[in-house]
Amino acid sequence: MLEFTSFVTTINEEPISMKKIIFSAMLFACAFNFANGQATKAPAYPLITHNTYFSIWSFNDTLNAAPTKHWTGKDQSLLGLIKVDGTTYRFMGKEPKSYKTILPAADEVNYDSKYTETEPASDWNKVKFDDNSWNTGQAPFTDDEQQAKTKWTSKNIWVRRTFTPNDLNINKLLLKLRNDDNVEVYLNGEMVYSTIGWTSDYKLIPIKDKIKNKLKNGDNVLAIHCANTAGGSWLDAGLVEEIKPTANDVLLAKQKSVIINATQTIYDFECVGVDLQLTFTSPLLMNNLDVFSRPVSYIGYAVKSNDGKTHTVKVLLSASTAISVNSPAQQVTAQKYLAGPLSVLKAGTVEQPLLQKKGDDLRIDWGYMYVAVPKSVNELQYITDPTATVSSFVTGNIASTNKAGKLLDLNTVLNFGSVDATAKEKFIELGYDDLYSVQYFKQNLKPWWKLTKGATIEGELNKAATQYNAVMSQCYNFNKTVYNDALKVGGKDYAALCVMAYRQSIAAHQLVKSPQGEILFLSKENFSNGSINTVDVTYPSAPLYLLYNPRLLEGMLNGIFHYCESPMWTNNFAAHDLGTYPLANGQTYGENMPVEESGNMIILTAAVVKAEGNPAFAKKHWKTLTTWAKYLSQNGLDPGNQLCTDDFAGHLAHNANLSVKAIVALGAYANLAGQLGQKSIALKYKTLASGMAAKWIKMADAGDHYSLVFGNKDTWSQKYNLVWDKVLGLNLFPASVYKKEVNYYLAKQNDFGLPLDSRKTYTKSDWILWTASLADNQKDFNALTVPIYKYATQTPSRVPLSDWHETTDGKMVGFQARSVVGGYFMKVLRNKWVK
């Protein structure tokens, strides 16, 4: 750790007041002392986290080991260099690989190729094959009517594309391919790639030199066979060259530590003569929605001499315009301008396809990214091609060379001048204006921060700069609150898990206001199916928001209530979702989850009412809640063959844990009825729920545990839904039920946690944290949660925390960067509400 004895902060080269300097120094020192108790290891490290589109991470323990990435895994490069007395070190990111198009795919050029859907002769992939009888069509070939240039709905397609390369002097040749499903690819008759499966985006696949070297002047043929085995279809391909990197004299800074807290990730680096502390702050302060919704993060730099000598120091931040595109092939424009006391770099796509794409593995390609810094003669900003960025800083040849292209770098140089043992600090802001965030029943909605009349991103950047010290203070206090809340009830490992979860959960949402004037906090079902406002994603994430701002949980429920109370929804149970992100125009998930979602909505409404101490939210939707309660009273005790939130495990009839959800929901409904003065309804449903609970105990009894499904004593499952009986104070199930289940679980654990149920060895970490909260003592809670901390710190799956992993080896099964990890806070909620 660095130990800073004092602090110098300047804005516009004018020192701020001594009082502020002292405050800043004290705050910095406190941050160091407090940081010792935070998370120091994670599967991936949050850097810039605001919403599902503006979300940049480091997937490595060492920040300078690889390029930084969007949560989907695509490069969104933030490159950091520091020059000490003329010697340059890299402390953040890594220069992304650069590519040159040899044969463009359809994301770059509308091209024609020959194709047939009838099996051709065996030599169809050869250069001299006569394809004159084949059809001519443009890629992509797909059944997606909105994106198809040539519609393909049959089982097989064969495609031939003849081309002449401009230059045969190619460094490394790669196939650029998007396929759905199975594919075989040939270049001049030789197979270069084959696979079974599908991709949702382009992949770059190396082609062996011996095949590359057979490219010739004149005609060459890229030939592909694709088989659509199930679901959608897609085929498009091209060829690219990986450009040989330019050698440069850049050393690696030594990373000494990394610390994660609720709103910050802090790195310490050592160079010869100088120490650098790098702090990423995304001020997601749930107790301050103005700051919470502002799409601006800070990157703070603090430097000091570590050898008693004086050194000259400059720092470079290079932010790639990949942050503003879905595909690297998209054209962007960039500019530099002044906005009040700030110097600003701005970039975005030329096309600006506002809200035109929906789905999971996507990045934003509308709106604009911003890099801003307080103006002064010692800060420089310029725009370059990525291949020129490092050399421009190393040589000092700093000038803008590009303002349009496929990928550009937005560069900011901070000149710290002469640095001694007295630390100096500067900061840069990174922001994003998405213009409109989501479409809500055919109406495009602006982000929450734009609700103020006349609000502009420049205004938000300026407010963020002006409020820097105040925001840092709020973040420090909030970080301390979040950590200590978890530490008190669960210990250090549990607190570290909560800290890891905090920003990830929030950044899977977007905050807007509905046309009806209601708050909407809409989730994206990341790395799953891309649904927007999925109820059974809201359900596991709820504890975090109930603790720190239940209004945000209202924002997760309001859209579902609006939809289900409209003529668009005619069922007597709750909807699953509102669409596919970012288009919330009605459910797109292919199958309903009647017991699951109805139970979730009633339980969460009861939780909001408890958190707010006021039944008004339930009263507003009482008719709808009553409809759902009636459905559960008829269908909840012994659910039919339907899906639950764990839909990846398939349909399951007689699901005992799903039955618990229905019973608890009915008890919660009875409680709400009582608060609304409907005593007879309260008594009726309280009696019903209690009777169902008593029946459940007999139906699920399997001796030393309760079964996964009624009638099969050889099965078992986590009964995580029981936790709401305890948290809401319903007391429908006796303590003996909890105790029996917890004791059984303790004997079923593997190295990386408790399996979800007896069918498989995989698990869901959010549910384990709920299950552990059933324990009546700290020892059992720790026994169930320590393996999850082990998973989070030892998993080989280096992605933003996956909530679905194997308990045998700690590998991710699916899902990443999802909001459901907000459920890690269940123990904090339980201890707050259950005295």
PDB file of all heavy atoms in Angstrom, residues 99-105 108 161 163-174 176 187 212 215 220 238-243 406:
ATOM      1  N   TYR A  99      -6.504  -5.478 -36.980  1.00  0.00           N
ATOM      2  CA  TYR A  99      -6.797  -6.343 -38.120  1.00  0.00           C
ATOM      3  C   TYR A  99      -7.049  -5.521 -39.374  1.00  0.00           C
ATOM      4  O   TYR A  99      -7.540  -4.394 -39.313  1.00  0.00           O
ATOM      5  CB  TYR A  99      -8.032  -7.207 -37.815  1.00  0.00           C
ATOM      6  CG  TYR A  99      -7.878  -8.056 -36.585  1.00  0.00           C
ATOM      7  CD1 TYR A  99      -8.383  -7.627 -35.357  1.00  0.00           C
ATOM      8  CD2 TYR A  99      -7.219  -9.282 -36.634  1.00  0.00           C
ATOM      9  CE1 TYR A  99      -8.240  -8.399 -34.215  1.00  0.00           C
ATOM     10  CE2 TYR A  99      -7.066 -10.064 -35.505  1.00  0.00           C
ATOM     11  CZ  TYR A  99      -7.577  -9.611 -34.291  1.00  0.00           C
ATOM     12  OH  TYR A  99      -7.422 -10.372 -33.172  1.00  0.00           O
ATOM     13  N   LYS A 100      -6.721  -6.121 -40.501  1.00  0.00           N
ATOM     14  CA  LYS A 100      -6.965  -5.536 -41.815  1.00  0.00           C
ATOM     15  C   LYS A 100      -7.864  -6.485 -42.594  1.00  0.00           C
ATOM     16  O   LYS A 100      -7.631  -7.705 -42.613  1.00  0.00           O
ATOM     17  CB  LYS A 100      -5.643  -5.333 -42.550  1.00  0.00           C
ATOM     18  CG  LYS A 100      -5.783  -4.815 -43.971  1.00  0.00           C
ATOM     19  CD  LYS A 100      -4.415  -4.733 -44.645  1.00  0.00           C
ATOM     20  CE  LYS A 100      -4.534  -4.312 -46.096  1.00  0.00           C
ATOM     21  NZ  LYS A 100      -3.193  -4.294 -46.752  1.00  0.00           N
ATOM     22  N   THR A 101      -8.886  -5.952 -43.219  1.00  0.00           N
ATOM     23  CA  THR A 101      -9.824  -6.788 -43.965  1.00  0.00           C
ATOM     24  C   THR A 101      -9.202  -7.265 -45.274  1.00  0.00           C
ATOM     25  O   THR A 101      -8.680  -6.470 -46.058  1.00  0.00           O
ATOM     26  CB  THR A 101     -11.111  -6.015 -44.261  1.00  0.00           C
ATOM     27  OG1 THR A 101     -11.734  -5.658 -43.023  1.00  0.00           O
ATOM     28  CG2 THR A 101     -12.081  -6.861 -45.067  1.00  0.00           C
ATOM     29  N   ILE A 102      -9.250  -8.572 -45.491  1.00  0.00           N
ATOM     30  CA  ILE A 102      -8.839  -9.168 -46.762  1.00  0.00           C
ATOM     31  C   ILE A 102     -10.071  -9.436 -47.621  1.00  0.00           C
ATOM     32  O   ILE A 102     -10.114  -9.116 -48.809  1.00  0.00           O
ATOM     33  CB  ILE A 102      -8.073 -10.487 -46.524  1.00  0.00           C
ATOM     34  CG1 ILE A 102      -6.843 -10.232 -45.636  1.00  0.00           C
ATOM     35  CG2 ILE A 102      -7.676 -11.125 -47.851  1.00  0.00           C
ATOM     36  CD1 ILE A 102      -5.813  -9.325 -46.245  1.00  0.00           C
ATOM     37  N   LEU A 103     -11.083 -10.011 -47.000  1.00  0.00           N
ATOM     38  CA  LEU A 103     -12.352 -10.312 -47.663  1.00  0.00           C
ATOM     39  C   LEU A 103     -13.456  -9.925 -46.686  1.00  0.00           C
ATOM     40  O   LEU A 103     -13.648 -10.579 -45.670  1.00  0.00           O
ATOM     41  CB  LEU A 103     -12.424 -11.810 -48.004  1.00  0.00           C
ATOM     42  CG  LEU A 103     -13.669 -12.298 -48.743  1.00  0.00           C
ATOM     43  CD1 LEU A 103     -13.741 -11.679 -50.131  1.00  0.00           C
ATOM     44  CD2 LEU A 103     -13.678 -13.821 -48.836  1.00  0.00           C
ATOM     45  N   PRO A 104     -14.178  -8.849 -46.958  1.00  0.00           N
ATOM     46  CA  PRO A 104     -15.121  -8.331 -45.955  1.00  0.00           C
ATOM     47  C   PRO A 104     -16.313  -9.249 -45.724  1.00  0.00           C
ATOM     48  O   PRO A 104     -16.818  -9.880 -46.664  1.00  0.00           O
ATOM     49  CB  PRO A 104     -15.567  -6.993 -46.545  1.00  0.00           C
ATOM     50  CG  PRO A 104     -15.336  -7.121 -48.007  1.00  0.00           C
ATOM     51  CD  PRO A 104     -14.130  -8.003 -48.161  1.00  0.00           C
ATOM     52  N   ALA A 105     -16.745  -9.306 -44.471  1.00  0.00           N
ATOM     53  CA  ALA A 105     -17.997  -9.973 -44.127  1.00  0.00           C
ATOM     54  C   ALA A 105     -19.139  -8.979 -44.278  1.00  0.00           C
ATOM     55  O   ALA A 105     -18.924  -7.794 -44.585  1.00  0.00           O
ATOM     56  CB  ALA A 105     -17.917 -10.526 -42.705  1.00  0.00           C
ATOM     57  N   GLU A 108     -19.478  -5.387 -42.854  1.00  0.00           N
ATOM     58  CA  GLU A 108     -18.716  -4.299 -43.463  1.00  0.00           C
ATOM     59  C   GLU A 108     -19.230  -3.919 -44.841  1.00  0.00           C
ATOM     60  O   GLU A 108     -19.315  -2.731 -45.171  1.00  0.00           O
ATOM     61  CB  GLU A 108     -17.239  -4.690 -43.581  1.00  0.00           C
ATOM     62  CG  GLU A 108     -16.525  -4.913 -42.267  1.00  0.00           C
ATOM     63  CD  GLU A 108     -15.064  -5.211 -42.494  1.00  0.00           C
ATOM     64  OE1 GLU A 108     -14.309  -4.292 -42.844  1.00  0.00           O
ATOM     65  OE2 GLU A 108     -14.670  -6.381 -42.324  1.00  0.00           O
ATOM     66  N   ARG A 161     -17.759 -18.258 -52.471  1.00  0.00           N
ATOM     67  CA  ARG A 161     -17.432 -16.841 -52.668  1.00  0.00           C
ATOM     68  C   ARG A 161     -16.055 -16.746 -53.332  1.00  0.00           C
ATOM     69  O   ARG A 161     -15.040 -17.146 -52.746  1.00  0.00           O
ATOM     70  CB  ARG A 161     -17.424 -16.134 -51.315  1.00  0.00           C
ATOM     71  CG  ARG A 161     -17.324 -14.642 -51.427  1.00  0.00           C
ATOM     72  CD  ARG A 161     -17.473 -14.017 -50.057  1.00  0.00           C
ATOM     73  NE  ARG A 161     -17.291 -12.581 -50.118  1.00  0.00           N
ATOM     74  CZ  ARG A 161     -17.128 -11.797 -49.062  1.00  0.00           C
ATOM     75  NH1 ARG A 161     -17.138 -12.330 -47.844  1.00  0.00           N
ATOM     76  NH2 ARG A 161     -16.965 -10.502 -49.207  1.00  0.00           N
ATOM     77  N   PHE A 163     -12.901 -14.638 -54.857  1.00  0.00           N
ATOM     78  CA  PHE A 163     -12.275 -13.339 -54.586  1.00  0.00           C
ATOM     79  C   PHE A 163     -10.834 -13.338 -55.069  1.00  0.00           C
ATOM     80  O   PHE A 163     -10.202 -14.392 -55.251  1.00  0.00           O
ATOM     81  CB  PHE A 163     -12.325 -13.028 -53.085  1.00  0.00           C
ATOM     82  CG  PHE A 163     -11.465 -13.938 -52.237  1.00  0.00           C
ATOM     83  CD1 PHE A 163     -10.194 -13.546 -51.821  1.00  0.00           C
ATOM     84  CD2 PHE A 163     -11.931 -15.196 -51.853  1.00  0.00           C
ATOM     85  CE1 PHE A 163      -9.404 -14.389 -51.043  1.00  0.00           C
ATOM     86  CE2 PHE A 163     -11.157 -16.040 -51.076  1.00  0.00           C
ATOM     87  CZ  PHE A 163      -9.887 -15.635 -50.665  1.00  0.00           C
ATOM     88  N   THR A 164     -10.327 -12.115 -55.263  1.00  0.00           N
ATOM     89  CA  THR A 164      -8.928 -11.914 -55.638  1.00  0.00           C
ATOM     90  C   THR A 164      -8.280 -10.998 -54.606  1.00  0.00           C
ATOM     91  O   THR A 164      -8.688  -9.833 -54.459  1.00  0.00           O
ATOM     92  CB  THR A 164      -8.815 -11.267 -57.024  1.00  0.00           C
ATOM     93  OG1 THR A 164      -9.460 -12.111 -57.988  1.00  0.00           O
ATOM     94  CG2 THR A 164      -7.353 -11.063 -57.412  1.00  0.00           C
ATOM     95  N   PRO A 165      -7.305 -11.474 -53.815  1.00  0.00           N
ATOM     96  CA  PRO A 165      -6.670 -10.623 -52.798  1.00  0.00           C
ATOM     97  C   PRO A 165      -5.834  -9.526 -53.442  1.00  0.00           C
ATOM     98  O   PRO A 165      -5.246  -9.714 -54.519  1.00  0.00           O
ATOM     99  CB  PRO A 165      -5.798 -11.602 -52.011  1.00  0.00           C
ATOM    100  CG  PRO A 165      -5.578 -12.765 -52.916  1.00  0.00           C
ATOM    101  CD  PRO A 165      -6.772 -12.848 -53.817  1.00  0.00           C
ATOM    102  N   ASN A 166      -5.792  -8.380 -52.790  1.00  0.00           N
ATOM    103  CA  ASN A 166      -4.987  -7.260 -53.296  1.00  0.00           C
ATOM    104  C   ASN A 166      -3.505  -7.479 -53.072  1.00  0.00           C
ATOM    105  O   ASN A 166      -2.676  -6.959 -53.812  1.00  0.00           O
ATOM    106  CB  ASN A 166      -5.416  -5.956 -52.619  1.00  0.00           C
ATOM    107  CG  ASN A 166      -6.827  -5.561 -52.996  1.00  0.00           C
ATOM    108  OD1 ASN A 166      -7.256  -5.794 -54.125  1.00  0.00           O
ATOM    109  ND2 ASN A 166      -7.559  -4.981 -52.050  1.00  0.00           N
ATOM    110  N   ASP A 167      -3.175  -8.226 -52.012  1.00  0.00           N
ATOM    111  CA  ASP A 167      -1.767  -8.401 -51.638  1.00  0.00           C
ATOM    112  C   ASP A 167      -1.623  -9.770 -50.996  1.00  0.00           C
ATOM    113  O   ASP A 167      -2.389 -10.138 -50.093  1.00  0.00           O
ATOM    114  CB  ASP A 167      -1.366  -7.298 -50.649  1.00  0.00           C
ATOM    115  CG  ASP A 167       0.125  -7.319 -50.308  1.00  0.00           C
ATOM    116  OD1 ASP A 167       0.839  -8.218 -50.789  1.00  0.00           O
ATOM    117  OD2 ASP A 167       0.556  -6.430 -49.541  1.00  0.00           O
ATOM    118  N   LEU A 168      -0.660 -10.551 -51.453  1.00  0.00           N
ATOM    119  CA  LEU A 168      -0.433 -11.880 -50.885  1.00  0.00           C
ATOM    120  C   LEU A 168       0.543 -11.854 -49.719  1.00  0.00           C
ATOM    121  O   LEU A 168       0.784 -12.890 -49.088  1.00  0.00           O
ATOM    122  CB  LEU A 168       0.087 -12.828 -51.969  1.00  0.00           C
ATOM    123  CG  LEU A 168      -0.886 -13.110 -53.127  1.00  0.00           C
ATOM    124  CD1 LEU A 168      -0.231 -14.060 -54.129  1.00  0.00           C
ATOM    125  CD2 LEU A 168      -2.189 -13.698 -52.600  1.00  0.00           C
ATOM    126  N   ASN A 169       1.104 -10.700 -49.418  1.00  0.00           N
ATOM    127  CA  ASN A 169       2.022 -10.569 -48.282  1.00  0.00           C
ATOM    128  C   ASN A 169       1.194 -10.358 -47.009  1.00  0.00           C
ATOM    129  O   ASN A 169       0.956  -9.238 -46.559  1.00  0.00           O
ATOM    130  CB  ASN A 169       2.977  -9.408 -48.508  1.00  0.00           C
ATOM    131  CG  ASN A 169       4.022  -9.301 -47.413  1.00  0.00           C
ATOM    132  OD1 ASN A 169       4.302 -10.282 -46.708  1.00  0.00           O
ATOM    133  ND2 ASN A 169       4.585  -8.113 -47.240  1.00  0.00           N
ATOM    134  N   ILE A 170       0.738 -11.478 -46.435  1.00  0.00           N
ATOM    135  CA  ILE A 170      -0.186 -11.449 -45.298  1.00  0.00           C
ATOM    136  C   ILE A 170       0.517 -11.985 -44.065  1.00  0.00           C
ATOM    137  O   ILE A 170       1.117 -13.071 -44.103  1.00  0.00           O
ATOM    138  CB  ILE A 170      -1.451 -12.282 -45.603  1.00  0.00           C
ATOM    139  CG1 ILE A 170      -2.200 -11.681 -46.805  1.00  0.00           C
ATOM    140  CG2 ILE A 170      -2.364 -12.366 -44.389  1.00  0.00           C
ATOM    141  CD1 ILE A 170      -3.320 -12.564 -47.317  1.00  0.00           C
ATOM    142  N   ASN A 171       0.441 -11.263 -42.979  1.00  0.00           N
ATOM    143  CA  ASN A 171       1.096 -11.677 -41.730  1.00  0.00           C
ATOM    144  C   ASN A 171       0.444 -12.945 -41.177  1.00  0.00           C
ATOM    145  O   ASN A 171       0.982 -14.036 -41.288  1.00  0.00           O
ATOM    146  CB  ASN A 171       1.034 -10.537 -40.703  1.00  0.00           C
ATOM    147  CG  ASN A 171       1.630 -10.907 -39.365  1.00  0.00           C
ATOM    148  OD1 ASN A 171       2.648 -11.597 -39.302  1.00  0.00           O
ATOM    149  ND2 ASN A 171       0.995 -10.489 -38.286  1.00  0.00           N
ATOM    150  N   LYS A 172      -0.727 -12.807 -40.565  1.00  0.00           N
ATOM    151  CA  LYS A 172      -1.494 -13.958 -40.088  1.00  0.00           C
ATOM    152  C   LYS A 172      -2.899 -13.852 -40.666  1.00  0.00           C
ATOM    153  O   LYS A 172      -3.547 -12.819 -40.540  1.00  0.00           O
ATOM    154  CB  LYS A 172      -1.565 -13.986 -38.555  1.00  0.00           C
ATOM    155  CG  LYS A 172      -0.238 -14.274 -37.876  1.00  0.00           C
ATOM    156  CD  LYS A 172      -0.433 -14.323 -36.353  1.00  0.00           C
ATOM    157  CE  LYS A 172       0.889 -14.607 -35.655  1.00  0.00           C
ATOM    158  NZ  LYS A 172       0.729 -14.630 -34.161  1.00  0.00           N
ATOM    159  N   LEU A 173      -3.362 -14.921 -41.267  1.00  0.00           N
ATOM    160  CA  LEU A 173      -4.679 -14.930 -41.886  1.00  0.00           C
ATOM    161  C   LEU A 173      -5.683 -15.574 -40.934  1.00  0.00           C
ATOM    162  O   LEU A 173      -5.410 -16.637 -40.355  1.00  0.00           O
ATOM    163  CB  LEU A 173      -4.643 -15.702 -43.206  1.00  0.00           C
ATOM    164  CG  LEU A 173      -5.927 -15.698 -44.044  1.00  0.00           C
ATOM    165  CD1 LEU A 173      -6.260 -14.292 -44.518  1.00  0.00           C
ATOM    166  CD2 LEU A 173      -5.782 -16.651 -45.240  1.00  0.00           C
ATOM    167  N   LEU A 174      -6.829 -14.927 -40.791  1.00  0.00           N
ATOM    168  CA  LEU A 174      -7.868 -15.450 -39.913  1.00  0.00           C
ATOM    169  C   LEU A 174      -9.210 -15.496 -40.643  1.00  0.00           C
ATOM    170  O   LEU A 174      -9.520 -14.610 -41.440  1.00  0.00           O
ATOM    171  CB  LEU A 174      -8.008 -14.596 -38.652  1.00  0.00           C
ATOM    172  CG  LEU A 174      -6.798 -14.533 -37.728  1.00  0.00           C
ATOM    173  CD1 LEU A 174      -6.011 -13.251 -37.987  1.00  0.00           C
ATOM    174  CD2 LEU A 174      -7.216 -14.581 -36.259  1.00  0.00           C
ATOM    175  N   LYS A 176     -13.058 -15.001 -40.398  1.00  0.00           N
ATOM    176  CA  LYS A 176     -14.047 -14.263 -39.614  1.00  0.00           C
ATOM    177  C   LYS A 176     -15.397 -14.910 -39.894  1.00  0.00           C
ATOM    178  O   LYS A 176     -15.899 -14.853 -41.013  1.00  0.00           O
ATOM    179  CB  LYS A 176     -14.050 -12.795 -40.022  1.00  0.00           C
ATOM    180  CG  LYS A 176     -15.065 -11.940 -39.288  1.00  0.00           C
ATOM    181  CD  LYS A 176     -14.968 -10.486 -39.763  1.00  0.00           C
ATOM    182  CE  LYS A 176     -16.026  -9.615 -39.131  1.00  0.00           C
ATOM    183  NZ  LYS A 176     -15.916  -8.196 -39.603  1.00  0.00           N
ATOM    184  N   LEU A 187     -10.961 -23.276 -47.905  1.00  0.00           N
ATOM    185  CA  LEU A 187     -10.287 -22.238 -48.666  1.00  0.00           C
ATOM    186  C   LEU A 187      -9.507 -22.916 -49.786  1.00  0.00           C
ATOM    187  O   LEU A 187      -8.602 -23.728 -49.514  1.00  0.00           O
ATOM    188  CB  LEU A 187      -9.342 -21.424 -47.769  1.00  0.00           C
ATOM    189  CG  LEU A 187      -8.629 -20.241 -48.426  1.00  0.00           C
ATOM    190  CD1 LEU A 187      -9.643 -19.249 -49.017  1.00  0.00           C
ATOM    191  CD2 LEU A 187      -7.722 -19.523 -47.425  1.00  0.00           C
ATOM    192  N   LYS A 212      -2.697 -20.659 -45.938  1.00  0.00           N
ATOM    193  CA  LYS A 212      -2.592 -19.242 -46.319  1.00  0.00           C
ATOM    194  C   LYS A 212      -1.641 -19.071 -47.493  1.00  0.00           C
ATOM    195  O   LYS A 212      -1.913 -18.284 -48.421  1.00  0.00           O
ATOM    196  CB  LYS A 212      -2.096 -18.421 -45.122  1.00  0.00           C
ATOM    197  CG  LYS A 212      -1.870 -16.940 -45.429  1.00  0.00           C
ATOM    198  CD  LYS A 212      -0.983 -16.271 -44.395  1.00  0.00           C
ATOM    199  CE  LYS A 212       0.474 -16.693 -44.577  1.00  0.00           C
ATOM    200  NZ  LYS A 212       1.377 -15.938 -43.677  1.00  0.00           N
ATOM    201  N   LEU A 215      -2.810 -19.143 -51.180  1.00  0.00           N
ATOM    202  CA  LEU A 215      -3.550 -18.067 -51.838  1.00  0.00           C
ATOM    203  C   LEU A 215      -2.776 -17.625 -53.076  1.00  0.00           C
ATOM    204  O   LEU A 215      -1.537 -17.629 -53.087  1.00  0.00           O
ATOM    205  CB  LEU A 215      -3.748 -16.891 -50.887  1.00  0.00           C
ATOM    206  CG  LEU A 215      -4.770 -17.057 -49.766  1.00  0.00           C
ATOM    207  CD1 LEU A 215      -4.715 -15.843 -48.840  1.00  0.00           C
ATOM    208  CD2 LEU A 215      -6.178 -17.234 -50.324  1.00  0.00           C
ATOM    209  N   ASN A 220      -9.616 -17.091 -56.023  1.00  0.00           N
ATOM    210  CA  ASN A 220      -9.579 -17.962 -54.852  1.00  0.00           C
ATOM    211  C   ASN A 220     -11.028 -18.153 -54.409  1.00  0.00           C
ATOM    212  O   ASN A 220     -11.898 -17.320 -54.689  1.00  0.00           O
ATOM    213  CB  ASN A 220      -8.781 -17.328 -53.716  1.00  0.00           C
ATOM    214  CG  ASN A 220      -7.321 -17.111 -54.066  1.00  0.00           C
ATOM    215  OD1 ASN A 220      -6.458 -17.919 -53.751  1.00  0.00           O
ATOM    216  ND2 ASN A 220      -7.023 -15.980 -54.721  1.00  0.00           N
ATOM    217  N   GLY A 238     -15.842 -13.981 -43.701  1.00  0.00           N
ATOM    218  CA  GLY A 238     -14.866 -13.187 -44.424  1.00  0.00           C
ATOM    219  C   GLY A 238     -13.468 -13.599 -43.990  1.00  0.00           C
ATOM    220  O   GLY A 238     -13.284 -14.573 -43.243  1.00  0.00           O
ATOM    221  N   LEU A 239     -12.467 -12.862 -44.445  1.00  0.00           N
ATOM    222  CA  LEU A 239     -11.080 -13.127 -44.079  1.00  0.00           C
ATOM    223  C   LEU A 239     -10.418 -11.830 -43.627  1.00  0.00           C
ATOM    224  O   LEU A 239     -10.658 -10.769 -44.218  1.00  0.00           O
ATOM    225  CB  LEU A 239     -10.303 -13.701 -45.267  1.00  0.00           C
ATOM    226  CG  LEU A 239     -10.769 -15.048 -45.823  1.00  0.00           C
ATOM    227  CD1 LEU A 239     -10.034 -15.354 -47.128  1.00  0.00           C
ATOM    228  CD2 LEU A 239     -10.546 -16.169 -44.807  1.00  0.00           C
ATOM    229  N   VAL A 240      -9.617 -11.900 -42.577  1.00  0.00           N
ATOM    230  CA  VAL A 240      -8.898 -10.731 -42.097  1.00  0.00           C
ATOM    231  C   VAL A 240      -7.443 -11.094 -41.832  1.00  0.00           C
ATOM    232  O   VAL A 240      -7.095 -12.258 -41.617  1.00  0.00           O
ATOM    233  CB  VAL A 240      -9.521 -10.151 -40.804  1.00  0.00           C
ATOM    234  CG1 VAL A 240     -10.958  -9.737 -41.031  1.00  0.00           C
ATOM    235  CG2 VAL A 240      -9.437 -11.144 -39.650  1.00  0.00           C
ATOM    236  N   GLU A 241      -6.608 -10.061 -41.830  1.00  0.00           N
ATOM    237  CA  GLU A 241      -5.201 -10.211 -41.495  1.00  0.00           C
ATOM    238  C   GLU A 241      -4.944  -9.598 -40.126  1.00  0.00           C
ATOM    239  O   GLU A 241      -5.379  -8.489 -39.846  1.00  0.00           O
ATOM    240  CB  GLU A 241      -4.316  -9.506 -42.527  1.00  0.00           C
ATOM    241  CG  GLU A 241      -2.831  -9.533 -42.173  1.00  0.00           C
ATOM    242  CD  GLU A 241      -1.992  -8.662 -43.092  1.00  0.00           C
ATOM    243  OE1 GLU A 241      -2.580  -7.918 -43.913  1.00  0.00           O
ATOM    244  OE2 GLU A 241      -0.741  -8.699 -42.969  1.00  0.00           O
ATOM    245  N   GLU A 242      -4.254 -10.357 -39.278  1.00  0.00           N
ATOM    246  CA  GLU A 242      -3.803  -9.796 -38.008  1.00  0.00           C
ATOM    247  C   GLU A 242      -2.512  -9.019 -38.269  1.00  0.00           C
ATOM    248  O   GLU A 242      -1.507  -9.597 -38.713  1.00  0.00           O
ATOM    249  CB  GLU A 242      -3.557 -10.891 -36.977  1.00  0.00           C
ATOM    250  CG  GLU A 242      -3.099 -10.359 -35.626  1.00  0.00           C
ATOM    251  CD  GLU A 242      -2.812 -11.465 -34.635  1.00  0.00           C
ATOM    252  OE1 GLU A 242      -3.590 -12.442 -34.579  1.00  0.00           O
ATOM    253  OE2 GLU A 242      -1.787 -11.362 -33.912  1.00  0.00           O
ATOM    254  N   ILE A 243      -2.545  -7.725 -38.034  1.00  0.00           N
ATOM    255  CA  ILE A 243      -1.402  -6.870 -38.332  1.00  0.00           C
ATOM    256  C   ILE A 243      -0.283  -7.108 -37.323  1.00  0.00           C
ATOM    257  O   ILE A 243      -0.527  -7.190 -36.112  1.00  0.00           O
ATOM    258  CB  ILE A 243      -1.829  -5.393 -38.331  1.00  0.00           C
ATOM    259  CG1 ILE A 243      -2.891  -5.161 -39.410  1.00  0.00           C
ATOM    260  CG2 ILE A 243      -0.636  -4.470 -38.566  1.00  0.00           C
ATOM    261  CD1 ILE A 243      -3.494  -3.784 -39.381  1.00  0.00           C
ATOM    262  N   LYS A 406     -12.786   3.031 -38.413  1.00  0.00           N
ATOM    263  CA  LYS A 406     -13.490   1.907 -37.789  1.00  0.00           C
ATOM    264  C   LYS A 406     -13.271   1.888 -36.281  1.00  0.00           C
ATOM    265  O   LYS A 406     -14.210   1.722 -35.516  1.00  0.00           O
ATOM    266  CB  LYS A 406     -13.031   0.589 -38.408  1.00  0.00           C
ATOM    267  CG  LYS A 406     -13.513   0.384 -39.830  1.00  0.00           C
ATOM    268  CD  LYS A 406     -13.070  -0.968 -40.362  1.00  0.00           C
ATOM    269  CE  LYS A 406     -13.508  -1.156 -41.796  1.00  0.00           C
ATOM    270  NZ  LYS A 406     -13.017  -2.443 -42.363  1.00  0.00           N
TER     271      LYS A 406
END
